């Protein structure tokens, strides 16, 4: 019990064999109470946990993993990888494709309630500090949309964050059927998931399959922009109990069967892309959640125990 009764304290004598005054016992009780509170505070940090039913012989596990660490992606050597850390997201930019390799961000339930709006006249913008970043009109007349990786709808919690989501470092050439169809619906579902799970970590980007014929956009300046044949998205709920994750691979075009038809495990996305996601998780938890693909459970949006 945290309640300390002075009557239970051992008698403490000084060198003269006399009992200490009652005030001394009170001071000792206060010090012990402070120590107990300090220990409780030190352990009150966001954690990733699994319950005994999910973790089998391991029992209940608890680890602390910062969201920024979960946003890191390990990539194969040789891929141009220019990292840009914006306020709301981290971008791995590829100067050869002029598009991101991946974009990662944490989305909290509170952030989904943001109400900032952006003027339509503001438009897209280049980031002059990033080598290979395209101008906003690079896709003009190509037949492809300027598709957000980190969606503007996730960034309404901050005007600067919302503006940064319109930088061309966050944009890929996306077919309108995807950008305004299944991809948009997946973005909306992720916002709903963030409300239920307290916070989620999302990583997404284009897939350029080796040896596959693809469209190429050529700008007025002669810049060649390859068009991805597919896009991936992986979603981790690190603070739900138990943690869960799911992946999606969508063709860059009409998506037959919608989100559910494109749901895969994170392991499957790693195999397709060569990337390693969520490596900051303890290995046993990472292996478990990345092998999962339970779209029905993920999409039902049932409340879960939160370990914040």
């Amino acid at each position: 019990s945290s309640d300390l009764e002075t009557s239970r304290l051992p008698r403490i004598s000084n060198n003269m064999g006399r009992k200490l005054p009652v005030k001394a016992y009170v001071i000792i009780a206060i010090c012990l109470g402070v120590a107990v509170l300090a220990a409780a505070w030190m352990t009150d940090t966001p954690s990733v946990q699994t319950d005994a039913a999910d973790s089998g012989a391991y029992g209940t596990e608890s680890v602390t993993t910062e969201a920024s660490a979960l946003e890191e992606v390990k990539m194969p050597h040789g891929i141009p990888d220019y990292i840009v850390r914006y306020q709301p997201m981290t971008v791995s930019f590829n100067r050869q494709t002029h598009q991101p390799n991946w974009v990662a961000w944490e989305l909290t339930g509170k952030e989904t309630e943001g109400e900032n709006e952006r003027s339509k006249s503001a438009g897209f913008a280049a980031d002059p500090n990033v080598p290979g970043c395209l101008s906003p009109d690079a896709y003009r007349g190509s037949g492809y949309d300027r598709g957000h990786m980190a969606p503007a709808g996730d960034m309404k919690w901050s005007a600067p964050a919302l503006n940064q989501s319109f930088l061309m470092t966050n944009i890929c050439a996306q077919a309108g059927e995807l950008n305004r169809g299944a991809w948009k619906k997946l973005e909306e579902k992720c916002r709903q998931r963030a409300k239920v799970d307290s916070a989620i970590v999302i990583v997404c980007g284009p897939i350029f399959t080796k040896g596959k014929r693809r469209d190429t956009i050529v700008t007025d300046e002669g810049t060649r922009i390859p068009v991805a044949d597919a896009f991936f998205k992986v979603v981790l709920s690190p603070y739900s109990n138990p943690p869960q994750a799911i992946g999606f691979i969508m063709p860059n075009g009409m998506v037959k069967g919608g989100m559910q038809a494109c749901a895969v495990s994170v392991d499957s996305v790693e195999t397709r892309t060569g990337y390693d996601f969520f490596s900051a998780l303890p290995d046993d938890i990472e292996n478990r959640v990345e092998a999962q693909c339970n779209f029905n459970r993920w999409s039902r949006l049932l409340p879960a125990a939160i370990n914040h």
Side-chain angles (χ1 to χ4, degrees):
S1 171
S2 60
D3 294 328
L4 296 174
E5 299 178 10
T6 55
S7 61
R8 293 185 179 180
L9 290 172
R11 291 185 177 182
I12 303 175
S13 300
N14 60 16
N15 292 334
M16 299 300 294
R18 293 174 298 184
K19 295 179 183 177
L20 292 177
V22 174
K23 183 183 292 184
Y25 291 120
V26 174
I27 293 173
I28 293 169
I30 292 173
C31 291
L32 288 173
V34 170
V36 170
L37 290 174
W41 179 83
M42 290 292 288
T43 58
D44 187 22
T45 55
S47 61
V48 179
Q49 297 180 339
T50 57
D51 59 19
D54 183 67
S55 57
Y58 293 99
T60 300
E61 297 170 298
S62 178
V63 297
T64 300
T65 308
E66 296 293 333
S68 58
L70 294 172
E71 294 172 22
E72 298 297 327
V73 179
K74 294 182 179 179
M75 300 172 59
H77 294 293
I79 299 178
D81 178 26
Y82 189 93
I83 297 295
V84 192
R85 301 189 189 280
Y86 297 108
Q87 179 188 7
M89 61 196 176
T90 300
V91 174
S92 166
F93 192 76
N94 189 319
R95 65 178 181 275
Q96 292 182 356
T97 64
H98 307 283
Q99 297 165 87
N101 296 309
W102 51 264
V103 179
W105 68 103
E106 181 190 35
L107 179 64
T108 69
K110 184 67 175 177
E111 288 171 346
T112 64
E113 300 171 2
E115 297 181 351
N116 281 285
E117 295 292 342
R118 195 166 187 268
S119 170
K120 291 184 179 180
S121 62
F124 293 79
D127 186 338
N129 298 314
V130 178
C133 183
L134 296 168
S135 66
D137 59 354
Y139 297 162
R140 182 177 298 167
S142 68
Y144 288 94
D145 287 1
R146 292 172 292 194
H148 285 75
M149 294 297 96
D154 287 9
M155 307 303 171
K156 293 183 177 182
W157 51 272
S158 162
L162 184 59
N163 288 335
Q164 288 177 347
S165 73
F166 281 86
L167 291 173
M168 293 298 290
T169 46
N170 182 45
I171 302 300
C172 290
Q174 252 182 356
E177 297 94 332
L178 175 65
N179 184 40
R180 289 165 266 165
W183 192 255
K184 181 180 179 182
K185 291 179 180 178
L186 179 55
E187 293 170 344
E188 293 168 349
K189 181 65 74 174
C190 286
R191 285 192 282 275
Q192 295 171 1
R193 190 76 253 175
K195 291 180 180 179
V196 172
D197 289 345
S198 172
I200 59 177
V201 177
I202 307 169
V203 188
C204 69
I207 297 175
F208 299 95
T209 304
K210 290 183 179 180
K212 188 170 184 177
R213 292 188 61 185
R214 64 176 58 90
D215 287 347
T216 300
I217 299 170
V218 181
T219 68
D220 293 340
E221 296 77 20
T223 302
R224 299 180 67 85
I225 309 167
V227 177
D229 51 273
F231 287 86
F232 74 85
K233 179 169 285 189
V234 291
V235 185
L236 171 68
S237 299
Y239 306 125
S240 65
N241 189 5
Q244 62 177 330
I246 195 168
F248 297 88
I249 298 177
M250 295 185 172
N252 194 6
M254 180 66 68
V255 178
K256 296 180 180 179
M259 280 184 290
Q260 185 168 5
C262 299
V264 296
S265 66
V266 175
D267 281 341
S268 296
V269 179
E270 290 182 332
T271 299
R272 182 77 179 268
T273 61
Y275 300 162
D276 183 7
F277 305 104
F278 313 134
S279 60
L281 288 171
D283 288 342
D284 55 331
I285 296 178
E286 180 186 5
N287 292 338
R288 199 154 48 244
V289 301
E290 291 190 355
Q292 299 171 354
C293 180
N294 191 330
F295 178 81
N296 289 332
R297 184 181 68 180
W298 185 80
S299 64
R300 281 201 306 267
L301 302 173
L302 296 176
I306 305 300
N307 291 313
H308 272 300

